[in-house]
Amino acid sequence: MSVLATGVGSMPGGGGSQADDARAFREAVRVVLGELGPSDRAGQGLPFLPELPGRGATASMTGRSLAVLEGLDVDLQPAGWRLTGTSGTPGLDHRRTRSLLAQDLDTLEELADGYEGAFKIQVAGPWTLAATVEKPRGEKVLSDHGARRELAESLAEGLADHVADVRRRLPNLDRLVVQVDEPALAAVLGGAVPNASGFHRLRSVDRSEASALLGQVLDVVSGAGAEPWVHACAAGTPWALVRGAGARGLVVDLGVLGAADHDVLAEAFEAEETVVLGVVPGTDPGVLPTEAGVVARVERWLDMLGLDPASGHLGLAPACGLAGASAHDAREALTLLRASASRLS
């Protein structure tokens, strides 16, 4: 069995001057490539494009994903991100988040020059964006059927160009994974997303619509020649729906899964899709588990479900993003994951 090690996406750093933030991002890229890039160790590492939300709203999961939109403009309000229409003339905040993404990709291209193998990028999914971003006159995009469809279409169109740009910058890749982050999907389906005032909850979304819009984005990823994964670390995430929408990789927090979730993961594993288990704490790990402890936990999971380790594709990751960890613990977490993956392999 070959086991890969990867990260969810976010890393610590940022919050200083523009120059300090640029140095923090360069260091995050070096850490990711150094800990997860090619080596003579057994097992595989899957490096990823780091996200440093500590640099501010334009570098957050939402801000970075809005930079990918095609045909929709956004701006940043005190309450958060808001759509402003389809003028084609993005405002200052939208230009900033696009510029920051371009600068980050420039840095990646420089530091990963000549890199060969697999690589992963991340983007917030259509339902998490709909639950986070507001319409031009207020209220979440999630509250409006037409607005959430338009947002998903804009994301899908822009994502195709984003994938092409990454492939141009890293021309020697033999595998590109696009991880679609949907931490809000469970809340969307459960009617648990608060409205703009915070006093009420928005109506739940029909599961068929949830599958259709997520599937639209995942289909674009596949059509662009990349591998579509979905990540969520929230309890109650509908993994059967996610898989049915076209995800070929499921990135989960092993600690929040229920019995039905395990069954879906087992089906995906036996279908030779990728299952990535979050087995290391994401927010300041403090005392990390031991390599032996991680390996034993994964082996217990395989044994519990009666899975043949040689029959599927397995990965290890933090339970969620590492933005809340110290720089030292984030590096140690990736080192531990790579060592554990090598041992399992």
Side-chain angles (χ1 to χ4, degrees):
M1 174 175 62
S2 181
V3 182
L4 63 82
T6 191
V8 170
S10 66
M11 293 285 286
S17 66
Q18 186 174 355
D20 288 340
D21 284 356
R23 283 192 290 270
F25 181 78
R26 292 181 71 88
E27 179 59 22
V29 173
R30 289 192 182 100
V31 168
V32 167
L33 291 175
E35 297 300 328
L36 302 176
S39 77
D40 58 1
R41 289 170 288 181
Q44 295 177 314
L46 179 62
F48 57 93
L49 180 66
E51 298 170 358
L52 272 63
R55 294 182 294 175
T58 55
S60 68
M61 177 182 70
T62 300
R64 169 158 278 177
S65 302
L66 294 176
V68 174
L69 296 184
E70 182 64 39
L72 287 180
D73 300 328
V74 298
D75 68 6
L76 188 59
Q77 298 293 310
W81 289 100
R82 180 187 68 176
L83 297 178
T84 58
T86 58
S87 67
T89 54
L92 177 61
D93 298 317
H94 201 178
R95 293 198 303 271
R96 281 175 173 167
T97 194
R98 286 181 170 177
S99 175
L100 184 61
L101 176 58
Q103 291 170 30
D104 287 353
L105 289 173
D106 287 343
T107 300
L108 173 67
E109 183 177 6
E110 175 193 344
L111 296 180
D113 182 38
Y115 175 81
E116 299 178 358
F119 195 79
K120 180 169 72 72
I121 58 176
Q122 303 82 221
V123 64
W127 292 110
T128 294
L129 288 180
T132 306
V133 178
E134 293 189 353
K135 298 184 295 181
R137 297 189 178 183
E139 198 49 81
K140 303 287 180 61
V141 169
L142 182 62
S143 67
D144 186 297
H145 182 275
R148 60 201 191 210
R149 184 181 65 249
E150 188 175 13
L151 180 59
E153 291 171 349
S154 173
L155 176 64
E157 185 177 354
L159 190 52
D161 293 336
H162 182 45
V163 169
D165 186 30
V166 172
R167 283 201 174 279
R168 178 184 62 80
R169 294 170 180 272
L170 301 177
N172 298 320
L173 294 183
D174 56 30
R175 181 187 186 193
L176 178 61
V177 172
V178 177
Q179 175 185 296
V180 178
D181 292 312
E182 282 287 18
L185 182 57
V188 166
L189 290 173
V193 177
N195 68 352
S197 71
F199 293 113
H200 303 284
R201 297 292 182 268
L202 298 175
R203 292 180 59 183
S204 61
V205 170
D206 183 78
R207 292 176 70 90
S208 62
E209 182 188 356
S211 178
L213 291 193
L214 177 58
Q216 181 178 357
V217 173
L218 299 179
D219 286 348
V220 165
V221 173
S222 296
E227 190 173 327
W229 291 6
V230 171
H231 161 258
C233 49
T237 298
W239 291 110
L241 181 152
V242 167
R243 188 166 175 248
R248 293 299 169 257
L250 306 178
V251 187
V252 306
D253 177 355
L254 186 55
V256 302
L257 299 179
D261 300 323
H262 291 296
D263 291 341
V264 175
L265 297 184
E267 292 173 4
F269 188 84
E270 291 179 330
E272 298 189 356
E273 298 165 8
T274 303
V275 175
V276 180
L277 303 175
V279 291
V280 172
T283 54
D284 210 354
V287 179
L288 289 168
T290 64
E291 180 184 326
V294 171
V295 170
R297 187 181 181 192
V298 174
E299 289 178 335
R300 283 196 303 270
W301 181 80
L302 291 166
D303 185 61
M304 176 183 73
L305 297 177
L307 297 175
D308 177 5
S311 67
H313 304 292
L314 189 65
L316 306 181
C320 211
L322 291 169
S326 67
H328 173 268
D329 282 346
R331 182 192 291 268
E332 290 296 305
L334 296 182
T335 301
L336 171 62
L337 289 165
R338 183 62 180 264
S340 300
S342 297
R343 185 165 171 179
L344 283 162
S345 297

